[in-house]
Amino acid sequence: MARGRSSLAALVLAVTAILLSCQLRKAFVPSALRVDALVAQREQAAALGAVLTAAAAVPAPVLAARGEDDEEGFDLRIIVIIAPALVAVSWALFNVWRVLFRQTVRIGES
């Protein structure tokens, strides 16, 4: 028995192709009013970006610009920066000297 082609499948394929081509045309080519709205929106976004950039470029007051005569005492930032390093070094030395002491005692026992 020979198989015949279905005319319904060809019709469905043709209708699907026509509908897809109509959808693609709408997806890639916006209307004139839509283009004008998109251009206006892009211009507003560019203006907003320029304003934000200008606002970010405004220099902040610098603390170093204060006079040298304004001595407030000891600066605690030094301790905040050096403290973690001192803790790490002291912990390492504690571990090394503890092991060294144990080995010295063991050598003395034998």
Side-chain angles (χ1 to χ4, degrees), residues 1 18 38 66 97:
M1 237 166 122
I18 291 171
L38 287 174
R66 295 188 298 178
W97 289 111

Side-chain angles (χ1 to χ4, degrees), residues 8-110:
L8 181 63
L11 181 63
V12 168
L13 185 62
V15 169
T16 305
I18 291 171
L19 289 176
L20 283 177
S21 67
C22 290
Q23 292 297 324
L24 288 177
R25 201 173 313 140
K26 290 179 184 176
F28 294 111
V29 182
S31 65
L33 295 175
R34 178 87 173 139
V35 169
D36 292 339
L38 287 174
V39 168
Q41 184 179 11
R42 286 182 185 153
E43 289 175 354
Q44 288 175 352
L48 179 63
V51 168
L52 291 176
T53 303
V58 173
V62 180
L63 294 177
R66 295 188 298 178
E68 295 293 329
D69 299 333
D70 296 339
E71 189 62 35
E72 295 180 7
F74 186 73
D75 192 8
L76 291 177
R77 291 181 292 179
I78 295 171
I79 294 176
V80 171
I81 298 299
I82 295 176
L86 289 176
V87 169
V89 168
S90 64
W91 183 253
L93 288 175
F94 170 74
N95 287 329
V96 169
W97 289 111
R98 185 179 55 147
V99 172
L100 180 67
F101 178 72
R102 286 182 184 173
Q103 288 180 352
T104 306
V105 170
R106 286 182 190 161
I107 291 173
E109 289 176 352
S110 59

